[in-house]
Amino acid sequence: MRLLAGLRDADRSLTKRAASRIPPGVGKVLSAVEETAENTKLWCGAAAAMTALGGWRGRRAAASGLAALAVAQLISNGLCKQLADRPRPPKQWFPHDEADDRPDSSSFPSGHTAAAVAFTAAIAPTWPAAGAACALPAAMVALERVQSGAHYPSDVAAGAAIGLASAWLTRRAPRLILCHRLLS
């Protein structure tokens, strides 16, 4: 019980700080990046660029990234948001009007963050430079989700964990299936 109370207090404090301490100009940049990432447009565009410019490595990285993104979306939006009915942070915590434009779905977990982290973590082993290039916008999406009032920091952390797990699972699934078939 104490742990949950501590988590709620930390969520409240960090959310209020992010909302009030990020300069308006930075907030606009974060919002622009998040808008580009909306409906996975940014990650699909990155995958298309990798496919066109990266040869076999780009195609392999893009396929891994998109597969991990799909798994993360399924887990975060298709499963977790249906099970967790967490309200969004209160609008009065935010000194800007971005909190007025947010979904009605459960706050837990952040599907945007799950998708961004899954895509980035899945492409990085195959093409480290592309993974590094995607890491900055992925981090900006995660920060924007708190700054805008769409999520608590713990929602973003859970989304990141789902993204990492999805990338790991996507990259390991072919080997796991092959091992299972060999052992059967």
Side-chain angles (χ1 to χ4, degrees), residues 17-79:
R17 279 190 207 158
S20 64
R21 292 196 179 168
I22 293 178
V26 174
K28 288 184 190 304
V29 171
L30 293 174
S31 292
V33 171
E34 186 278 329
E35 182 62 34
T36 305
E38 187 72 32
N39 297 317
T40 69
K41 294 180 294 224
L42 177 60
W43 315 118
C44 291
M50 287 188 287
T51 299
L53 303 173
W56 71 268
R57 182 170 58 173
R59 289 187 296 276
R60 184 172 175 202
S64 293
L66 291 175
L69 183 147
V71 170
Q73 290 285 296
L74 180 65
I75 293 169
S76 63
N77 296 333
L79 178 65

Side-chain angles (χ1 to χ4, degrees), residues 43 46-47 50 57-69 116-135 167 170-171:
W43 315 118
M50 287 188 287
R57 182 170 58 173
R59 289 187 296 276
R60 184 172 175 202
S64 293
L66 291 175
L69 183 147
V117 170
F119 184 83
T120 302
I123 66 170
T126 302
W127 197 356
C134 289
T170 301
R171 293 193 52 81

